[in-house]
Amino acid sequence: MPQIPEKIHELTVGQLSARSGAAVSALHFYESKGLISSRRTTGNQRRYSRDALRRVAFVRAAQRVGIPLATIREALAELPEERTPTREDWAHLSEVWRSELDERIKQLNRLRDHLTDCIGCGCLSLATCVLSNPDDVFGERQSGSRL
């Protein structure tokens, strides 16, 4: 990982990419979504403050555990003066996100279990298949085919 001298307070997009491990295109995408910000030089080049490294690390860690970018953006927007997330911020947010992730895990486990059943019979019956017709929601509305 390339080292950036302490006296350099702003990073080019290439330096930020090399240090963070995120592709330049990902950094541009993060910026377009309001997750990180840059200033423009007189030559119209992007310059990122050093704390962008921590914000990118925060975003990538949250993404790895399945947090949607919109949720990450909302969390970052709640920080005072758009400051860099701290260890305490991560601890608080991860606690909030934990229940959401636990629910997603339960849903995925149920889907996995039902997928095995479906492969076994292969019927995709609208009357009994929990994948095509979970909880028979179509049957409650009215009779007949709808899919």
Side-chain angles (χ1 to χ4, degrees), residues 7-28:
K7 64 183 178 183
I8 297 176
H9 298 290
E10 291 186 318
L11 308 173
T12 66
V13 70
Q15 290 170 323
L16 183 58
S17 173
R19 284 296 308 258
S20 68
V24 169
S25 59
L27 296 173
H28 290 166

Side-chain angles (χ1 to χ4, degrees), residues 6-102:
E6 285 293 322
K7 64 183 178 183
I8 297 176
H9 298 290
E10 291 186 318
L11 308 173
T12 66
V13 70
Q15 290 170 323
L16 183 58
S17 173
R19 284 296 308 258
S20 68
V24 169
S25 59
L27 296 173
H28 290 166
F29 180 74
Y30 291 164
E31 189 171 357
S32 74
K33 297 298 180 185
L35 299 166
I36 60 174
S37 60
S38 67
R39 73 167 187 86
R40 296 291 183 140
T41 66
T42 55
N44 203 29
Q45 296 175 328
R46 289 178 168 96
R47 292 294 185 263
Y48 298 89
S49 61
R50 288 182 74 94
D51 65 347
L53 281 167
R54 189 162 188 82
R55 286 179 79 90
V56 170
F58 179 91
V59 170
R60 294 187 78 202
Q63 277 187 295
R64 262 189 234 97
V65 297
I67 305 301
L69 284 178
T71 304
I72 298 168
R73 182 178 56 243
E74 290 168 8
L76 288 171
E78 290 180 14
L79 295 178
E81 300 174 20
E82 296 186 9
R83 71 170 164 74
T84 301
T86 63
R87 178 175 284 148
E88 292 78 23
D89 294 326
W90 179 260
H92 171 72
L93 289 168
S94 64
E95 189 173 314
V96 171
W97 292 337
R98 184 180 199 86
S99 62
E100 184 180 315
L101 291 172
D102 286 342

